Amino acid sequence: MDNLRFNRASLINIGFINFANISDYIGIHDIDLLPRNVKEISYSMPSPNTVYHVASPEYHPLYNYKTYVGGILLTTVETFRNINGMSNNFFGWGLEDDEFYLRLVNMDNSGLSDIKYKLHRKVELSIDSFPFAVLSIQLICNTSLTPNCKNQF
C-alpha cells in the first residue's frame, strides 16, 4: 500500500506494457460499466489506426457528449503505441478519458514512454480456459510534475 491516489490511465499503460506482446489489440473497459446489450456489441479487433468506442455517447446516459471516449474502447496495439498510451498525469477520479480524446486528436506525448512503476508480483490465472494475469504494482510519482498524486490524509 502506498500513499498515492488512484491513477486509472497509469494502470492501463502498465497493463499494456506487460501484455501488448500477446495480442494484436487491447480493450480498455471501465470496471463499473457492464453493457446490457452484449449480443449487439462486438469486441472484435478494430480496424487499424482507429479506436472503436463500444460504449459510445448515445448509449451512455451520464456522458452523452460528442468527445466522450470513456467506458469501453478497443484499439490496436500499434495505435495505442503510436499515441503513447494514456497520460500518467491524472491522479484521482476523472478527466483521463477526456484527455485521451485530445491525445487521439493531437498526439500528446506523456504516457507509455514516461511511466515509472515497480512490479512486485505477477500472478497468471485462468477462468474457463481464458488466461489472464493480475499485477501487483507500485506507481512512482514525480510530485514536481503531478503534485496531486499524493493522498491527503
Side-chain angles (χ1 to χ4, degrees), residues 75-144:
T75 191
T76 63
V77 166
E78 179 183 7
T79 299
F80 197 76
R81 189 175 281 124
N82 286 344
I83 61 173
N84 200 22
M86 297 183 81
S87 173
N88 299 308
N89 297 331
F90 291 91
F91 285 83
W93 294 100
L95 299 179
E96 75 281 346
D97 294 334
D98 294 326
E99 191 278 341
F100 191 63
Y101 171 80
L102 296 175
R103 178 178 294 264
L104 292 169
V105 173
N106 300 322
M107 302 294 278
D108 194 351
N109 60 12
S110 169
L112 296 172
S113 61
D114 64 357
I115 190 166
K116 305 280 189 267
Y117 70 99
K118 185 175 184 181
L119 178 63
H120 291 286
R121 186 176 53 195
K122 177 180 177 182
V123 179
E124 296 186 20
L125 305 164
S126 71
I127 296 177
D128 293 336
S129 75
F130 291 100
F132 66 96
V134 177
L135 303 178
S136 175
I137 60 103
Q138 178 181 1
L139 289 177
I140 299 169
C141 172
N142 181 341
T143 54
S144 64

Side-chain angles (χ1 to χ4, degrees), residues 17 72 76 144 150:
I17 289 167
I72 308 168
T76 63
S144 64
K150 298 282 185 181

Side-chain angles (χ1 to χ4, degrees), residues 4-19:
L4 300 182
R5 297 170 74 194
F6 181 74
N7 188 318
R8 175 180 174 265
S10 289
L11 296 176
I12 290 168
N13 287 338
I14 292 167
F16 178 86
I17 289 167
N18 282 273
F19 299 104

